[in-house]
Amino acid sequence: MSDNATGAFGRNVFNEATMRECLPKNVFKSLKRTLEGRQPLDPATADVIANAMKDWAIEKGATHFCHWFQPMTGSTAEKHDAFISPTSDGKTIMEFSGKELTQGEPDASSFPSGGLRVTFEARGYTAWDCTSPVFVKEDGKNITLYIPSAFCSYTGESLDKKTPLLRSMEALNKQALRVLKALGNTTTQRVIATMGPEQEYFLVDRAFCDERLDLVLAGRTLFGAKPPRGQELDDHYFGSLHERVASFMNEVNNELWKLGVTAKTQHNEVSPAQYELAPVFSTVNVATDHNQLTMETLQKIALRHDFVCLLHEKPFAGVNGSGKHNNWSMSTDDGNNLLDPGDTPHDNMVFLVMLGAVVSAVDKNATLLRATVANTGNEHRLGANEAPPAIVSIFLGDQLNDIFEQLAQGGAKTSKQGGELKLGVSTLPPLPKDCTDRNRTSPFAFTGNKFEFRMVGSTQSVAGPSFVLNTIVADTLSDIADALEKADDVNGAAQKILQDIAVKHANIVFNGDNYAPEWVEEAARRGLPNIRSTVESLETIPSEENIALFSRHGVLSEHELKARTEVLLEAYSMQINIEAETMLNMAKRQILPSCCEYSARLGNAVAAVAGAGVAADTQTKMLKKVCDLITALQTGIEALEAGTAKAAGVDGSEGQAQSYRDDVIPAMNAVRAAADELEMLVDADLWPLPTYAEMLFMR
Ligand code: ADP
Ligand code: MG
């Protein structure tokens, strides 16, 4: 019953085509100027737009509108208001003013602020972000007009993920334009950061999830013995879709297409029960909003198919976790991808300068970039042998690496070409071969005409890593623009800049296997940072250099940056605390009682067998083993209780996060180890939790 894709696409979006239809010509033109950043929206125009939007939304069945924003929780927030407005004769009319469209005043006191506002200063503002289209969303019988918005405090400080992202896009636009102009470009008016985030996720039967408090509350399994089969057969990646999963994907796509999300690619991922969805790229701002909608839609539709969609970075130990690959580039308003190398990259100066800017930005800010992906979930991935390590490095590939080396020598003269692949079968076509192979292990890989940042966690908003990437590249471009604008011989100056970058930042380039243990040693020799723990990584954020960097480009003030760090550290502690409490709950109320029951059964067996005059050596051995593990489990529980009590009592977000890392996580590991061993001994009928084999393989 799939909708026709072209018919369904964007049906619920107040997009440019709809606006052109619904709005008077002069209003549409005025809005276009605002969208292009050339003129603020005036109240009269806003009133006309709001009215047209309301009529359009009501025709789609909407009764409410909401400002939809992205607080620093990483997810989204919304408060619905009905369009109704009572009239003096006891009836109502449907109203929606320009002010209601452009501004909202939610109470800000219950969102994380990292100290940016105190509870009695509760007022917060939301402001319409007209660069991301308004849409209508259907949830059950409720149909609502969604207005993508930025969110700030009474004092104008950003309390969300969108504001710094929009600011960083402006910074990047400004500095990239300066460089383009200096290099002789006369046509480009705007440079836009683009993003295509690939989203990984797991699907598990809802019946299993409902029986696991850890999945319900923490989104990941806190217990679970290794199943007899994992991902070793490599048979799930790109495997044929299970029918139930395919139906789910079909409904997800239709739902997303209606919302204007360009869901494009879908496939099985590496782990059993793991999948991926990728959209066609868009501006990084729209991509961020759409990724939020994608995560929400995956979860919503999963329930309709009796699945639960797990977005956590590491729902299951021992098999691959989930990430988000942020494909990033820069586009001009006149249609050029600035990271497109063309056929002969060695003489494509704009491309080389942009590439150089990214390489130098990533090298100079590797620690900061690492911190953008630091969260509790990702701690299980980065540095483990499935995901990129915690060391930031760049993959350039054969062709660009060769050019980079030529640049270091003083100038690039040639570009290696790809050629053709012949498969030796006359009926198969010759394949044009890319000039560079792929590298699946690199955390930051050049992939043809964009960079792919692969360290991002699957639950994360793409806004954080993106605003940092935009800002650090803007910063390097600003230095380059300073030099080029001063130069008499621009080409000579550009060559010199490229040579400097190629010499100075050669260390960050690594084209080998990032998962190999030798790389960790090699990276240490090169002096590249390798920050494994989330807490340690977050602590690097509010450094002098970073404060200066973000204020220089108007992306975050010192106060805002420090507040954000607080929020992230607090989130770490809270998340670990939830996991620890959940673990204690399950261990004490489910696992221990089952194990005790089993030990009693064994005890009875020992007594019965011995009473019958037969040696009960085996039963005794089993009983002993189970009792020893029960003791280990109980000891672990007590240690975990002590650890959480200690951590909860620590003052200050930094010290507290450290305590959760050092006092709680090791205790959790000990509890799990004992319980997982018991799982392999206790009668399957008595085991209170669905097993890994069931959750990963039964659909
Ligand atoms: P792969 O898994 O092979 O890396 P996918 O097709 O799954 O590739 O995802 C690649 C992503 O990169 C897609 O979302 C795609 O739209 C996006 N992309 C392509 N070109 C650009 C670009 N210029 N800027 C940003 N993202 C891009
Ligand atoms: Mg992919």
Side-chain angles (χ1 to χ4, degrees):
M1 281 186 298
S2 123
D3 279 302
N4 172 305
T6 45
F9 190 81
R11 187 197 286 163
N12 288 351
V13 185
F14 198 69
N15 53 25
E16 200 168 316
T18 315
M19 286 195 275
R20 200 185 304 250
E21 247 171 61
C22 298
L23 297 173
K25 240 195 188 105
N26 60 332
V27 172
F28 178 71
K29 272 197 186 146
S30 166
L31 177 62
K32 276 287 273 186
R33 281 196 293 274
T34 306
L35 285 171
E36 284 156 9
R38 292 190 282 143
Q39 155 194 313
L41 198 66
D42 67 274
T45 310
D47 274 332
V48 181
I49 298 171
N51 201 46
M53 261 178 200
K54 177 205 67 186
D55 291 343
W56 170 84
I58 288 176
E59 205 165 286
K60 305 224 161 269
T63 51
H64 289 68
F65 68 93
C66 73
H67 277 216
W68 181 63
F69 56 102
Q70 304 177 11
M72 292 189 271
T73 54
S75 51
T76 59
E78 56 195 50
K79 181 181 109 203
H80 299 191
D81 277 300
F83 288 121
I84 58 164
S85 168
T87 53
S88 55
D89 58 355
K91 297 191 167 170
T92 61
I93 49 167
M94 301 293 252
E95 263 186 348
F96 185 47
S97 69
K99 173 134 192 286
E100 285 171 309
L101 164 64
T102 52
Q103 187 176 331
E105 287 184 25
D107 187 324
S109 58
S110 295
F111 294 105
S113 79
L116 279 180
R117 48 123 211 85
V118 275
T119 327
F120 62 87
E121 290 171 351
R123 203 186 280 276
Y125 292 103
T126 50
W128 177 34
D129 165 23
C130 63
T131 61
S132 179
V134 163
F135 56 92
V136 154
K137 193 153 73 73
E138 301 155 352
D139 290 291
K141 290 206 167 87
N142 206 42
I143 302 181
T144 304
L145 176 68
Y146 278 70
I147 303 158
S149 303
F151 178 46
C152 67
S153 71
Y154 185 64
T155 49
E157 282 161 315
S158 64
L159 290 176
D160 69 345
K161 302 255 173 193
K162 191 188 267 277
T163 308
L165 181 65
L166 292 173
R167 290 173 182 163
S168 75
M169 290 172 77
E170 294 207 352
L172 184 67
N173 170 48
K174 183 168 157 200
Q175 303 305 337
L177 271 183
R178 283 179 65 204
V179 169
L180 288 182
K181 295 252 139 64
L183 290 173
N185 176 317
T186 53
T187 52
T188 299
Q189 304 283 327
R190 227 175 145 69
V191 173
I192 306 131
T194 55
M195 164 74 57
E198 302 164 46
Q199 175 74 47
E200 294 178 341
Y201 60 93
F202 279 79
L203 286 180
V204 174
D205 194 286
R206 185 176 182 171
F208 295 136
C209 287
D210 286 349
E211 286 179 50
R212 297 209 44 143
L213 199 61
D214 47 4
L215 288 181
V216 173
L217 297 183
R220 78 174 180 101
T221 54
L222 299 167
F223 297 101
K226 194 177 171 303
R229 175 174 165 184
Q231 64 191 43
E232 60 275 33
L233 295 177
D234 286 334
D235 58 348
H236 193 256
Y237 189 59
F238 282 11
S240 60
L241 295 179
H242 190 282
E243 203 164 289
R244 192 173 156 203
V245 172
S247 299
F248 155 83
M249 288 179 171
N250 173 276
E251 202 173 329
V252 167
N253 290 331
N254 282 316
E255 212 56 41
L256 288 175
W257 289 337
K258 279 197 268 177
L259 295 169
V261 180
T262 51
K264 170 128 176 125
T265 308
Q266 61 196 24
H267 58 79
N268 286 1
E269 256 300 329
V270 170
S271 292
Q274 191 188 27
Y275 309 91
E276 182 184 296
L277 171 71
V280 178
F281 71 95
S282 53
T283 69
V284 60
N285 172 36
V286 170
T288 300
D289 289 358
H290 282 183
N291 183 250
Q292 294 290 349
L293 284 176
T294 301
M295 291 194 283
E296 184 191 313
T297 304
L298 286 168
Q299 290 177 305
K300 176 165 107 178
I301 305 299
L303 293 177
R304 286 192 203 158
H305 292 255
D306 286 322
F307 281 127
V308 168
C309 171
L310 301 174
L311 292 171
H312 195 280
E313 282 79 8
K314 193 73 177 178
F316 300 97
V319 291
N320 275 18
S322 298
K324 189 141 25 195
H325 293 171
N326 284 12
N327 295 271
W328 178 94
S329 187
M330 295 170 279
S331 260
T332 66
D333 60 340
D334 49 348
N336 291 319
N337 175 357
L338 294 176
L339 288 176
D340 185 349
D343 293 334
T344 51
H346 68 277
D347 62 11
N348 184 345
M349 186 53 94
V350 168
F351 166 73
L352 290 178
V353 169
M354 294 297 163
L355 178 81
V358 177
V359 170
S360 130
V362 170
D363 191 26
K364 283 190 286 190
N365 300 283
T367 304
L368 177 59
L369 214 48
R370 157 71 181 95
T372 66
V373 299
N375 71 11
T376 43
N378 236 2
E379 198 159 48
H380 300 281
R381 288 177 71 234
L382 302 177
N385 68 355
E386 50 157 278
I391 307 160
V392 175
S393 67
I394 298 179
F395 170 81
L396 286 180
D398 292 343
Q399 189 191 45
L400 291 190
N401 198 54
D402 173 58
I403 290 177
F404 212 65
E405 280 167 3
Q406 293 182 53
L407 289 173
Q409 304 299 320
K413 304 272 178 322
T414 56
S415 301
K416 285 188 177 178
Q417 295 301 327
E420 215 172 60
L421 267 187
K422 294 208 176 65
L423 296 176
V425 179
S426 59
T427 49
L428 291 177
L431 302 176
K433 188 174 143 182
D434 288 299
C435 29
T436 290
D437 196 5
R438 282 166 176 261
N439 178 321
R440 279 283 166 208
T441 65
S442 174
F444 201 92
F446 186 76
T447 48
N449 57 5
K450 61 192 188 297
F451 276 98
E452 186 171 342
F453 186 28
R454 300 211 184 98
M455 294 167 96
V456 183
S458 49
T459 57
Q460 283 191 274
S461 159
V462 297
S466 303
F467 86 70
V468 170
L469 190 52
N470 291 344
T471 308
I472 63 178
V473 174
D475 194 56
T476 315
L477 287 172
S478 147
D479 291 342
I480 295 176
D482 287 347
L484 293 180
E485 283 166 0
K486 277 203 297 266
D488 297 324
D489 168 17
V490 172
N491 199 46
Q495 291 288 357
K496 172 83 182 49
I497 290 168
L498 289 172
Q499 182 174 15
D500 280 355
I501 291 176
V503 170
K504 224 166 125 194
H505 300 293
N507 259 347
I508 194 83
V509 177
F510 179 63
N511 294 300
D513 179 2
N514 291 67
Y515 296 180
E518 299 82 58
W519 168 233
V520 177
E521 290 160 28
E522 164 69 15
R525 271 195 297 280
R526 292 187 188 191
L528 298 178
N530 182 6
I531 304 176
R532 282 162 189 262
S533 108
T534 298
V535 179
E536 199 188 335
S537 178
L538 295 177
E539 284 166 352
T540 64
I541 296 177
S543 68
E544 287 300 317
E545 305 87 74
N546 291 344
I547 290 169
L549 167 77
F550 288 111
S551 11
R552 196 153 60 235
H553 296 284
V555 174
L556 288 174
S557 67
E558 174 172 358
H559 197 195
E560 288 173 317
L561 187 66
K562 287 186 169 160
R564 252 153 232 272
T565 312
E566 279 288 303
V567 170
L568 294 167
L569 284 165
E570 282 168 9
Y572 179 85
S573 295
M574 288 187 286
Q575 194 60 42
I576 303 287
N577 191 58
I578 290 171
E579 290 188 357
E581 298 287 350
T582 306
M583 192 166 213
L584 286 169
N585 189 309
M586 293 168 74
K588 292 199 291 192
R589 300 181 61 230
Q590 293 185 284
I591 298 174
L592 260 186
S594 303
C595 295
C596 288
E597 191 176 336
Y598 184 56
S599 67
R601 255 196 222 179
L602 285 175
N604 287 339
V606 171
V609 172
V614 181
D617 294 353
T618 305
Q619 289 82 345
T620 309
K621 219 162 138 187
M622 285 166 73
L623 178 61
K624 170 100 180 50
K625 177 97 200 166
V626 168
C627 289
D628 286 349
L629 283 168
I630 288 176
T631 306
L633 181 57
Q634 179 57 28
T635 311
I637 288 170
E638 283 161 20
L640 181 54
E641 281 172 333
T644 36
K646 181 175 170 196
V650 175
D651 267 343
S653 57
E654 213 174 304
Q656 184 165 58
Q658 285 167 0
S659 178
Y660 274 103
R661 178 192 60 196
D662 302 334
D663 301 315
V664 176
I665 291 179
M668 287 174 67
N669 293 341
V671 169
R672 176 168 187 159
D676 287 359
E677 220 179 309
L678 279 162
E679 183 187 331
M680 301 307 288
L681 298 174
V682 171
D683 185 336
D685 288 336
L686 282 180
W687 195 252
L689 304 171
T691 64
Y692 266 37
E694 288 166 327
M695 290 184 286
L696 289 170
F697 290 95
M698 283 167 107
R699 286 172 261 289

